[in-house]
Amino acid sequence: QTDGSGFLASAGPYFFTGPAGFRNGFVYDHLKNGSDPDPSVADATVRFDFGYNWNSETDTPTGSEVDLYTVALHEMSHAIGYISLIEPDGTSDISDGDPGVYSVYDSFLELGDGTDLFSAGGDFIGSASDLTSGNVYFNGANAALAYGGPVPVYAPSPFASGSSISHLANSVTSVMNYSVEPGVSKRLYSSVDLGILKDIGWNISAVPEPSTMCLILCMVGGWLVAPIRQRRLSMAG
């Protein structure tokens, strides 16, 4: 994309539309199981809008540049399962129902008083008003240990499709905040990010410094065929 309007970038993995339950998507399944969940589609797609003023190097971005490395890491994290699949009414964006297909990330969501938003099996037991309450938290054991308690999730009113619930509040030190300002770089996962990734099923080991990592940007093709759907999560500028 090159028009410089709307989201800086968007990304999301593909999912099967059933059975109901909690999933991380095709990228996770492919890497963990060693086999392609469905060879007819990409495991995920990622889109960047190159109409913005990007810093595409590994030096520090200027005050007018959006850091490409930061946004790429953010979007790739959505692609590996760091996402929510909740619609504004609490139904699944993938299977259009409740119970339905939700993300493993969703299974750890609760309100500030400890009330779970989901029961086992992919059944949303919260309310639509909960999702816009500013009172939603991620309470996986590893993330809570890193943060010192349940982690605040971005849950504004009104519900912001593509941003709500799938991101952490900007008060949390994280690659996965809902927005990034020009001149800011976040090129390493915080301890909270690593805790969330571990909670949803990833094995966490030492993370190399950005200078030793190769940033690979590619547009992956894919098309939507039943019974598969994709969820795209976006990052605001």
Side-chain angles (χ1 to χ4, degrees), residues 17-23 95 99-102 121-122:
T17 58
F22 300 108
R23 309 282 186 270
S95 53
V101 175
Y102 294 94

Side-chain angles (χ1 to χ4, degrees), residues 154-173:
Y154 182 56
S157 179
F159 191 94
S161 294
S163 294
S164 285
I165 313 300
S166 293
H167 298 89
L168 302 185
N170 273 7
S171 59
V172 181
T173 299

Side-chain angles (χ1 to χ4, degrees), residues 8 53-55 57 59-72 74 170 172-177 179-188 235-237:
L8 295 170
N53 184 26
W54 292 95
N55 171 43
E57 307 297 331
D59 59 358
T60 301
T62 68
S64 64
E65 292 177 323
V66 180
D67 191 51
L68 183 58
Y69 195 115
T70 297
V71 175
H74 176 106
N170 273 7
V172 181
T173 299
S174 172
V175 170
M176 301 306 292
N177 301 127
S179 65
V180 63
E181 298 298 325
V184 174
S185 62
K186 298 179 181 180
R187 298 175 178 175
L188 287 175
M235 191 171 190

Side-chain angles (χ1 to χ4, degrees), residues 84-220:
S84 173
L85 303 179
I86 303 175
E87 287 281 81
D89 61 358
T91 57
S92 165
D93 184 48
I94 298 300
S95 53
D96 296 324
D98 175 30
V101 175
Y102 294 94
S103 66
V104 176
Y105 170 97
D106 287 328
S107 70
F108 292 99
L109 297 176
E110 61 178 37
L111 299 179
D113 62 3
T115 301
D116 291 332
L117 291 185
F118 284 88
S119 65
D123 187 8
F124 179 71
I125 55 176
S127 66
S129 61
D130 291 335
L131 302 178
T132 57
S133 65
N135 187 37
V136 178
Y137 295 80
F138 182 98
N139 198 20
N142 294 288
L145 180 64
Y147 188 71
V151 183
V153 169
Y154 182 56
S157 179
F159 191 94
S161 294
S163 294
S164 285
I165 313 300
S166 293
H167 298 89
L168 302 185
N170 273 7
S171 59
V172 181
T173 299
S174 172
V175 170
M176 301 306 292
N177 301 127
Y178 61 89
S179 65
V180 63
E181 298 298 325
V184 174
S185 62
K186 298 179 181 180
R187 298 175 178 175
L188 287 175
Y189 286 130
S190 70
S191 59
V192 173
D193 294 324
L194 292 173
I196 289 178
L197 290 170
K198 190 171 183 179
D199 285 328
I200 68 174
W202 289 102
N203 298 322
I204 303 301
S205 59
V207 179
E209 292 294 324
S211 60
T212 68
M213 298 173 71
C214 177
L215 177 60
I216 302 173
L217 297 179
C218 60
M219 186 60 67
V220 289

